[in-house]
Amino acid sequence: MTPEKPRRRPGPAKTDLPTIHDVAEARVAAAARELGYQPGPSIKPKGNKILALIPRLGSPFFTPFLDAATDLISESGYCITVGDLRGSRRKEEHYARALRDGSFAGAILFTGAIPRDGTAQESPSLPIPVVLACNDIPGMADLPVFDVADRKAARSMVSYLIGLGHRRIAHIRGPADNIEAQERLQGYTEAIEAAGIAFDEALVWEGDFYLASGIAAAGRYLASDDRPTAVFAGNDQMAMGFITEVKAAGFSVPGDVSVAGFDDIEYSVIFDPPLTTMRQPRDDIGRLAAVELLRRIGDEEGNDEPPRRVRLECELVIRASTQALRLAVEQRGRGDDRPPARRVRQPQKDKASI
């Protein structure tokens, strides 16, 4: 008996029209042809290791990037080392020295910063090819960057919530010094103002892209006398932390509050309720970054060419965590009231990701 094919996870309904993934795959293939990339051994005397530096191991956000990049890098005869910083100054100094002492032939940085070892004579540039993924770095226009149009995607998400009838929409932002977080906040603000809704700074809640800050934002929601009817979280992990906490307090998602995230991490489709989110083409970014890095490692003269700066589009994925405001009001009018709220739990400091 022929075995069943594995089921694909739920997503937007298929049509005969090209999807964002078709466009991205074509773009990756075109980039590889344009750059003359060919898989196969291309080891240089300076070593066969490449560093992929990320903020934190264990975060589900980075897995598709790393899987896609590793496939191409290993095909070319290189080994990839994944390093994480976890906010540690000691770790940052360790990787800063390793990137300058010949330990690696090149690096893909997902951290939004060049690691520093703290020495006074240290230059912000690195002596090896470097490609940035997810985050641009201010003042480093000479480095290639592969990321997504965060501002446009956030504007689209908030416009979708407004289209559902929501007018009081909160935003759980990412770290203040993070470019992605800044652009998503800009997109949120632009969508609110374009709809003629007065911007309310009190509805912008602090976050850090990790689960605990979503839980903390839920505390602000529960303590408010004028709660928003929708929340746009700067990423899925914060959205999940928020949903978990408000549900524990007896509130319904989306009955009392619609919640949307950003990224479409693996758990988003199986979360309760499944999460409306913006899907990043993370595997495509990983492939593009790897192609560009391998080209720069293999062609020293090519390193003087203008850096490629590519921004891919995101895709709105609508699931059960959001609904029309009118429907929520009708449900409550039929007596579907929420149970009494319980006391809010305090988030743990080390509760950073799932």
Side-chain angles (χ1 to χ4, degrees):
M1 184 174 63
T2 303
E4 292 185 3
K5 293 183 178 179
R7 294 181 180 176
R8 298 183 65 182
R9 69 182 186 180
K14 289 189 175 182
T15 70
D16 292 332
L17 298 176
T19 68
I20 188 173
H21 298 292
D22 297 327
V23 174
E25 287 179 8
R27 191 166 188 168
V28 171
R33 288 194 300 271
E34 177 186 344
L35 298 173
Y37 168 73
Q38 294 291 335
S42 57
I43 302 301
K44 292 286 185 177
K46 57 187 172 185
N48 72 333
K49 292 193 298 182
I50 288 174
L51 176 66
L53 193 60
I54 64 177
R56 182 184 294 272
L57 282 173
S59 171
F61 174 72
F62 293 103
T63 303
F65 294 111
L66 297 175
D67 286 347
T70 299
D71 287 345
L72 282 174
I73 287 169
S74 60
E75 285 176 5
S76 295
Y78 287 88
C79 298
I80 188 166
T81 297
V82 180
D84 73 317
L85 296 179
R86 280 183 286 174
S88 167
R89 182 62 180 168
R90 180 183 60 80
K91 282 193 165 192
E92 181 181 356
E93 292 175 354
H94 165 74
Y95 287 115
R97 290 190 294 270
L99 289 170
R100 290 176 171 84
D101 67 8
S103 297
F104 296 100
I108 303 175
L109 302 182
F110 296 87
T111 53
I114 301 292
R116 307 292 184 93
D117 66 12
T119 59
Q121 69 273 20
E122 180 184 21
S123 168
S125 61
L126 293 170
I128 58 173
V130 172
V131 172
L132 307 179
C134 299
N135 281 291
D136 198 356
I137 299 177
M140 302 299 292
D142 58 328
L143 295 179
V145 180
F146 298 92
D147 60 5
V148 297
D150 289 286
R151 182 176 172 182
K152 179 180 178 181
R155 187 168 61 242
S156 296
M157 175 60 82
V158 178
S159 295
Y160 162 72
L161 294 173
I162 292 171
L164 292 177
H166 298 282
R167 291 295 181 271
R168 188 163 175 77
I169 303 170
H171 175 50
I172 310 174
R173 61 171 301 164
D177 60 351
N178 181 279
I179 291 180
E180 291 177 279
Q182 294 168 6
E183 291 202 0
R184 292 172 197 179
L185 174 59
Q186 284 181 311
Y188 161 83
T189 303
E190 289 173 357
I192 290 290
E193 293 177 346
I197 303 171
F199 175 75
D200 185 351
E201 189 174 353
L203 291 178
V204 177
W205 301 336
E206 295 301 315
D208 60 9
F209 284 157
Y210 293 109
L211 196 71
S213 61
I215 294 173
R220 294 192 61 170
Y221 170 84
L222 296 172
S224 174
D225 293 328
D226 187 13
R227 299 186 182 98
T229 62
V231 173
F232 166 48
N235 77 346
D236 290 347
Q237 291 189 67
M238 294 192 297
M240 291 175 181
F242 179 89
I243 291 173
T244 300
E245 193 65 21
V246 298
K247 285 178 61 180
F251 287 73
S252 167
V253 176
D256 290 305
V257 57
S258 288
V259 182
F262 199 111
D263 293 335
D264 195 28
I265 61 175
E266 182 179 2
Y267 306 118
S268 298
V269 70
I270 61 173
F271 197 69
D272 183 20
L275 186 64
T276 293
T277 185
M278 272 291 177
R279 177 179 293 156
Q280 286 204 50
R282 290 174 290 158
D283 49 354
D284 296 313
I285 291 175
R287 281 192 288 268
L288 284 167
V291 167
E292 176 69 7
L293 182 63
L294 291 169
R295 183 188 72 82
R296 288 178 167 259
I297 291 174
D299 181 8
E300 295 295 341
E301 294 181 0
N303 292 344
D304 294 329
E305 296 178 3
R308 301 186 68 220
R309 306 180 78 80
V310 177
R311 309 204 83 184
L312 300 181
E313 298 292 321
C314 293
E315 178 183 8
L316 174 61
V317 180
I318 300 172
R319 299 194 181 107
S321 66
T322 54
Q323 70 176 16
L325 180 61
R326 175 187 55 78
L327 179 59
V329 171
E330 289 176 353
Q331 288 172 343
R332 286 196 288 271
R334 291 194 300 266
D336 300 333
D337 293 325
R338 59 177 180 260
R342 296 195 294 270
R343 187 171 62 87
V344 181
R345 292 181 289 122
Q346 294 300 314
Q348 299 297 315
K349 292 293 185 181
D350 59 350
K351 196 174 183 181
S353 64
I354 58 175

